[in-house]
Amino acid sequence: MKPVDRVRYMAPADRPRHIGPKGAKLIVWPVVNVENWLIDNPMPRQVLVAPTGAALQPDVPNWAWHEYGMRVGFWRFHALFERLGIRPTLSINGSVIDAYPRVATAARDAGWEFMGHGWFQVPTHRLADQRAMIEQTTRAIADFTGKACTGWLGPGLTETLETADILAEHGVRWTGDFVLDDLPARIATTHGEMLAMPYSVELNDIPVVMIQYHDEQELPRRARLAAARLLQEAEASSGCKVMGIAIHPYITGVPHRIEALEALYAELAADPRIAFLQGDEIADWYLASGDPA
């Protein structure tokens, strides 16, 4: 099925008014992305272009740029969320569990939710057998965490026209790949319904910093603007909405950007109208509302 055939269109005015958990006016969904970049492959992203613009392998400088995030940047995120008592969702390549066990264990032990993010950081379209990849990833997460892998974010949000069906087949109940609303929405699959979760491609440090080349204040600025507007709409009776924020350790976890991120989360956490929920918690809250969208 094409995406337009999977997701029913509904205008905001046609959806019921949602009451937030414990009266919250806004749900913030914090997502940390951790990935395994193989030196044998072209790097998923580049910060330093090779001389003359040639695509070279092995791409050591860009591999090392990402590696910094796993060695150092992740731990700044870990300290930030621990300090504020926030349990984010971890978007994780399944192979990170074996390649970076210290990172995976710290996230699991802190109560972070594990969301499947492919096996390696390779676009779904390039895989000869995406069903095997999804099976391998969901099984590894379940074995490591002791909980079923119920959430999914494709590497780079990549999906083929069959991906949603295969995900539902493997017990995945929600995905961040369909960034089309401020609330969850139902996705039709050949194995029953799953949910589109309000992930974000604009409150996301990859496009903001690495594609649009903004400074460290732009992502927090956008998040504050988005939160203010969603809270204003909630107060005007449209009901509670969801705001996703996506960060990567090698981008926002660096010394010259982390302080701006810390200030943003401190402000959001101090607002009694805001609740921080993980993906499964958002899905449960939404499904209990009876919203048919």
Side-chain angles (χ1 to χ4, degrees), residues 90-110:
L90 186 72
S91 172
I92 181 171
N93 288 165
S95 61
V96 166
I97 293 169
D98 291 327
Y100 301 93
R102 187 80 167 82
V103 167
T105 299
R108 181 194 62 190
D109 292 352

Side-chain angles (χ1 to χ4, degrees), residues 14-288:
D14 298 331
R15 303 186 72 170
R17 183 177 186 273
H18 292 270
I19 305 301
K22 298 182 179 179
K25 302 296 185 181
L26 175 64
I27 295 169
V28 172
W29 182 34
V31 179
V32 174
N33 293 269
V34 293
E35 300 156 353
N36 188 9
W37 291 16
L38 300 182
I39 192 64
D40 314 276
N41 293 350
M43 291 298 100
R45 198 164 304 282
Q46 291 184 323
V47 67
L48 183 66
V49 178
T52 74
L56 303 176
Q57 286 182 251
D59 187 350
V60 172
N62 289 300
W63 175 87
W65 170 54
H66 169 268
E67 186 73 3
Y68 177 92
M70 301 303 286
R71 293 171 63 95
V72 184
F74 169 83
W75 300 103
R76 294 192 177 108
F77 289 171
H78 188 271
L80 162 63
F81 291 120
E82 183 176 46
R83 184 165 62 250
L84 295 177
I86 297 171
R87 298 178 307 130
T89 294
L90 186 72
S91 172
I92 181 171
N93 288 165
S95 61
V96 166
I97 293 169
D98 291 327
Y100 301 93
R102 187 80 167 82
V103 167
T105 299
R108 181 194 62 190
D109 292 352
W112 294 20
E113 173 183 62
F114 280 49
M115 171 170 65
H117 190 43
W119 186 250
F120 298 120
Q121 193 63 9
V122 175
T124 306
H125 302 66
R126 293 184 180 172
L127 300 174
D129 188 347
Q130 69 166 308
R131 176 175 274 101
M133 177 274 290
I134 290 170
E135 162 69 22
Q136 185 179 27
T137 302
T138 55
R139 179 178 296 178
I141 288 174
D143 289 346
F144 182 72
T145 64
K147 301 177 182 177
C149 176
T150 54
W152 188 267
L153 187 74
L157 283 69
T158 55
E159 286 198 10
T160 70
L161 295 180
E162 296 75 35
T163 302
D165 298 323
I166 300 171
L167 290 172
E169 175 188 330
H170 286 83
V172 173
R173 62 194 294 245
W174 50 268
T175 176
D177 294 340
F178 289 66
V179 286
L180 42 68
D181 209 312
D182 295 324
L183 285 168
R186 297 171 192 263
I187 302 172
T189 82
T190 55
H191 295 271
E193 286 184 338
M194 58 188 299
L195 294 180
M197 199 65 68
Y199 189 69
S200 180
V201 290
E202 290 213 63
L203 300 185
N204 185 317
D205 56 9
I206 285 180
V208 171
V209 177
M210 302 314 306
I211 298 175
Q212 300 166 1
Y213 300 113
H214 290 294
D215 67 18
E216 76 287 351
Q217 295 295 338
E218 179 62 14
L219 177 61
R221 186 185 75 87
R222 290 187 192 186
R224 290 183 178 100
L225 288 170
R229 181 56 184 239
L230 292 172
L231 285 166
Q232 179 185 8
E233 291 177 355
E235 298 287 359
S237 82
S238 69
C240 184
K241 300 290 180 65
V242 181
M243 184 179 83
I245 304 175
I247 54 176
H248 299 72
Y250 60 99
I251 299 176
T252 323
V254 297
H256 52 285
R257 296 191 185 102
I258 188 63
E259 186 173 354
L261 184 74
E262 291 170 336
L264 167 67
Y265 269 105
E267 289 178 26
L268 295 175
D271 192 325
R273 300 171 297 173
I274 294 175
F276 294 90
L277 267 62
Q278 296 178 334
D280 261 353
E281 294 171 328
I282 297 171
D284 290 342
W285 164 76
Y286 173 76
L287 290 172

